[in-house]
Amino acid sequence: MTQKRFPLFFILLFSIAFSSQAQLKSYIQSLDDPNHWVDSVLHKLKKRDKIAQLFFVRAHTNKGQAFEDSVGRVIRKERIGGLIFFQGGPARQAILTNKYQELARTPLLIASDGEWGLGMRLDSTISYPYQMALGAIQNKELIYKMGLEVAKDYKRIGMQMNLAPDADINNNPKNPIINYRSFGENKYNVAEKAGAYMKGMQDGGLLVTLKHFPGHGDTDVDSHYDLPQLNFTKARLDSLEIYPFKELIKEGAAGVMVAHMNIPSLDNTPNLPSTLSKPIVTDLLKGELGFKGLVVTDAMEMKGVVKNFKDGEADLMAVIAGNDILEVSENSKRAIKLVRSALRDGRISMERIDESVRKILLAKYWTGVYKRDTINTQHVGAEVNRAESLALLQQLADASMTVLNGNGGIKALAKEKRTAVISIGTPGVTLFQRELGSFYKNSVFFSLDKNANANTIAKVVKELGMFDQVIIGIHDTRLRPGNGMELSGDLRMLIRDMAGKNAVFAFFANPYNLAGLPGIENAKSLVVAYQKEDYMQKAAAEVIENVKAASGKLPVTVSSFFKFNSGF
């Protein structure tokens, strides 16, 4: 009896180990494996329903009942493959996702843009630092951990795919749409940081989508409103823009999003967006680069794609080009009809459609949504605002702090001296000031709004003679840290003058804006904190208090004074 049980025990142990090993396979590694559920569903779907699986429509939880009901009707009647959630709240989204999944004959794949986590789209959730700030961090393990936390958040509210990370190289300071969404201007830094974020999410069981292939970083046109053109050679694109995509495809990226850009060196068809180009989607991405995962279009309602290809033509061309998922079509019902017609006319084959549908179904299997588990709608808010996530948020902010021109000015600050702490760009007392005030006990706060005039500034300057040391925070209070920070000419003069008088600065704005502050390069110490958020203000204050050392490196070149990788 003992002898019979002995091998049986090891057979059971081997089976468990084999099963665990199988579960560790990535989405890409699973593509060639036999899958009964996928094959069964694929076999049962009618041709029209297969086509519908390629279409993912827009969903919101902040547009009222009528909008929510209209999405429900599309799910029920058109039998689409998935949803892209935009603005709303986490608990509302979890509740609505349960309702939508009940309406779907085939489980829906749910996605959203989360370059900086759920907070990119949803209220009452965590917004991690923008990728520009993350590009300054030298410890990529922190970014990997962020990916794990984001995966937990997504799965908690019933999402399986993040349309992130952004793998664009922002080598154009005037870029109006990528900019702070990029990890920076250096291809190696971008690939490393995007890879860490990607791996964290995928190890957490989330599908990712690298964007915006083949690279949207060197444009000065926003593809939401028009069609950008990239007039670079294929050799330049291959060696620079495409580099992070190539590297992360090798590392197992599950998805790639294709941008709406006209790139004559890759496809010389006039006004043709890259999303609709078979030479770019099929020949380059799938062929040359060997990408086998999910190819996702950027939103198909954007002017960059529909400006020249109207009435659903863009949707049909995107399918023919080789995309697997069409995100947010202007009219999915019309698009499905056009693809069916093209199928009958022989413009596209059923094998081509089946190839995409199988990848989509496998994504539903790999993420577990095929099980149709109901999302727990209790305590959603608390469970996407975990203590460990908030602690990581502060760690990321701390690690991003970048000191330019050395820390001599900071080291010269003395705790007991009379200290003036000035906030420029905002009328009220900031958290930055309060943090410093609790450390430099003998301090006084001054606030100068972004429109402060010469008289107001003169009154503050007059009082500065009473102080031994001056610390200045420059704040961009806009929702997003873009270019074009607004400060009055008189404030710019004040910054120039104080930089020459040993003031220590902290800059809570996009670093590109430093180029618009002539004279600030003379500051003995300048802490670049990238964003206006409180966690950045706390991190900068601790650097200026000499409590924490700054380890960040500038991820972009700002001027001849402040270049890529600068940082003490």
Side-chain angles (χ1 to χ4, degrees):
M1 186 177 290
T2 305
Q3 289 178 334
K4 289 180 181 178
R5 284 180 180 175
F6 185 76
L8 187 63
F9 168 76
F10 275 96
I11 290 169
L12 182 62
L13 193 64
F14 177 81
S15 299
I16 293 169
F18 182 81
S19 176
S20 299
Q21 188 65 33
Q23 289 170 5
L24 293 174
K25 279 193 172 183
S26 70
Y27 170 76
I28 294 294
Q29 291 170 333
S30 303
L31 282 169
D32 295 326
D33 290 349
N35 190 298
H36 175 73
W37 182 83
V38 170
D39 292 340
S40 174
V41 175
L42 189 63
H43 178 72
K44 291 174 185 175
L45 288 174
K46 296 177 181 178
K47 288 182 180 179
R48 187 217 164 278
D49 295 341
K50 287 181 178 181
I51 295 166
Q53 285 294 301
L54 277 60
F55 290 87
F56 285 43
V57 304
R58 172 186 289 270
H60 288 253
T61 61
N62 68 340
K63 287 200 168 187
Q65 193 64 46
F67 183 89
E68 292 176 9
D69 290 345
S70 70
V71 174
R73 286 192 294 273
V74 169
I75 293 167
R76 190 173 61 253
K77 293 181 179 179
E78 296 178 24
R79 301 172 191 173
I80 54 170
L83 300 174
I84 311 291
F85 267 101
F86 288 82
Q87 285 74 20
R92 285 171 281 157
Q93 184 170 317
I95 292 166
L96 191 58
T97 297
N98 280 337
K99 292 179 181 178
Y100 285 160
Q101 291 288 18
E102 286 179 9
L103 293 172
R105 288 199 180 187
T106 304
L108 298 162
L109 195 68
I110 312 289
S112 80
D113 291 288
E115 294 164 30
W116 46 91
L118 290 181
M120 184 168 175
R121 294 298 186 203
L122 302 182
D123 61 38
S124 311
T125 56
I126 293 174
S127 286
Y128 288 97
Y130 300 120
Q131 291 191 181
M132 177 76 79
L134 298 179
I137 294 174
Q138 300 305 294
N139 179 6
K140 67 179 182 180
E141 279 301 306
L142 290 173
I143 301 171
Y144 173 82
K145 289 178 182 177
M146 172 182 148
L148 290 174
E149 292 301 303
V150 170
K152 290 177 189 175
D153 292 339
Y154 264 63
K155 291 164 72 176
R156 177 62 186 86
I157 63 172
M159 290 196 287
Q160 298 82 39
M161 175 184 276
N162 190 356
L163 303 177
D166 192 309
D168 297 312
I169 299 166
N170 200 80
N171 44 10
N172 185 340
K174 296 180 180 179
N175 194 316
I177 185 60
I178 305 303
N179 203 300
Y180 61 86
R181 297 166 60 194
S182 165
F183 287 105
E185 69 176 37
N186 179 274
K187 66 180 183 181
Y188 303 110
N189 190 45
V190 169
E192 181 181 61
K193 305 298 169 55
Y197 188 21
M198 175 192 88
K199 287 174 187 174
M201 288 189 282
Q202 291 193 160
D203 286 354
L206 191 65
L207 296 164
V208 305
T209 308
L210 307 177
K211 60 188 185 187
H212 305 80
F213 183 83
H216 209 315
D218 198 354
T219 65
D220 56 9
V221 173
D222 183 347
S223 52
H224 287 86
Y225 306 109
D226 207 343
L227 180 65
Q229 188 172 77
L230 262 65
N231 289 309
F232 304 127
T233 64
K234 187 176 187 297
R236 143 75 193 251
L237 292 166
D238 186 64
S239 65
L240 186 59
E241 277 81 5
I242 296 175
Y243 177 83
F245 295 94
K246 282 196 295 188
E247 292 303 303
L248 300 187
I249 285 169
K250 290 176 190 173
E251 293 177 21
V256 170
M257 179 186 289
V258 183
H260 305 311
M261 298 185 296
N262 181 246
I263 313 171
S265 65
L266 300 182
D267 189 331
N268 61 11
T269 308
N271 300 316
L272 185 72
S274 38
T275 22
L276 312 187
S277 167
K278 193 170 184 179
I280 293 174
V281 177
T282 296
D283 299 343
L284 175 58
L285 179 57
K286 294 181 174 182
E288 285 186 43
L289 301 188
F291 180 61
K292 295 181 179 181
L294 291 162
V295 182
V296 184
T297 69
D298 208 342
M300 294 299 292
E301 62 185 9
M302 291 163 62
K303 295 294 185 290
V305 68
V306 298
K307 178 181 179 180
N308 297 300
F309 299 90
K310 302 181 185 299
D311 303 322
E313 184 183 5
D315 295 310
L316 173 59
M317 291 178 68
V319 175
I320 293 172
N323 293 281
D324 300 308
I325 293 174
L326 278 69
E327 180 193 346
V328 193
S329 165
E330 284 186 310
N331 186 327
S332 53
K333 183 179 180 181
R334 176 183 65 190
I336 292 165
K337 285 183 178 179
L338 287 172
V339 177
R340 287 186 74 189
S341 178
L343 195 60
R344 287 192 294 268
D345 295 341
R347 293 181 63 191
I348 190 168
S349 69
M350 200 64 232
E351 288 75 21
R352 159 72 195 88
I353 301 295
D354 282 349
E355 176 191 323
S356 290
V357 177
R358 190 180 191 282
K359 285 197 277 184
I360 293 165
L361 291 175
L362 185 65
K364 295 177 180 184
Y365 183 87
W366 186 82
T367 56
V369 71
Y370 79 100
K371 298 175 185 175
R372 290 188 176 273
D373 293 333
T374 302
I375 304 161
N376 178 3
T377 57
Q378 299 297 312
H379 314 298
V380 174
E383 291 176 18
V384 295
N385 287 278
R386 299 177 299 281
E388 58 268 30
S389 300
L390 294 168
L392 176 62
L393 177 63
Q394 191 60 57
Q395 287 180 304
L396 290 162
D398 294 343
S400 73
M401 292 297 106
T402 307
V403 175
L404 303 179
N405 292 351
N407 66 353
I410 294 171
K411 290 292 184 185
L413 295 172
K415 191 173 182 179
E416 70 282 353
K417 286 184 179 180
R418 290 172 298 174
T419 307
V421 186
I422 306 171
S423 277
I424 291 176
T426 179
V429 173
T430 62
L431 183 136
F432 176 65
Q433 288 173 299
R434 292 194 298 271
E435 289 281 331
L436 289 174
S438 66
F439 184 84
Y440 296 101
K441 301 292 186 182
N442 193 8
S443 62
V444 175
F445 303 155
F446 298 91
S447 297
L448 292 167
D449 189 39
K450 64 182 180 180
N451 298 313
N453 58 33
N455 289 335
T456 304
I457 294 169
K459 290 177 183 177
V460 172
V461 170
K462 186 177 180 180
E463 293 194 48
L464 293 182
M466 302 165 51
F467 297 91
D468 302 313
Q469 54 196 20
V470 178
I471 302 169
I472 300 175
I474 303 172
H475 301 258
D476 186 352
T477 58
R478 294 174 298 171
L479 182 63
R480 299 281 184 258
N483 294 356
M485 180 182 178
E486 294 181 7
L487 290 176
S488 70
D490 294 312
L491 282 175
R492 293 175 191 273
M493 289 177 63
L494 172 67
I495 291 167
R496 180 198 64 193
D497 294 344
M498 296 308 298
K501 294 180 180 178
N502 295 333
V504 169
F505 288 84
F507 194 66
F508 302 101
N510 186 317
Y512 284 130
N513 289 293
L514 288 169
L517 298 175
I520 199 169
E521 67 275 4
N522 296 319
K524 284 201 171 177
S525 290
L526 167 60
V527 181
V528 179
Y530 300 97
Q531 303 172 205
K532 65 181 176 64
E533 280 72 22
D534 284 354
Y535 51 79
M536 290 296 192
Q537 294 188 45
K538 184 176 186 296
E542 290 189 334
V543 169
I544 291 172
E545 292 162 4
N546 285 293
V547 171
K548 289 184 179 174
S551 60
K553 301 288 185 182
L554 203 60
V556 292
T557 295
V558 171
S559 66
S560 59
F561 301 104
F562 304 131
K563 296 185 177 181
F564 166 74
N565 216 34
S566 297
F568 177 76

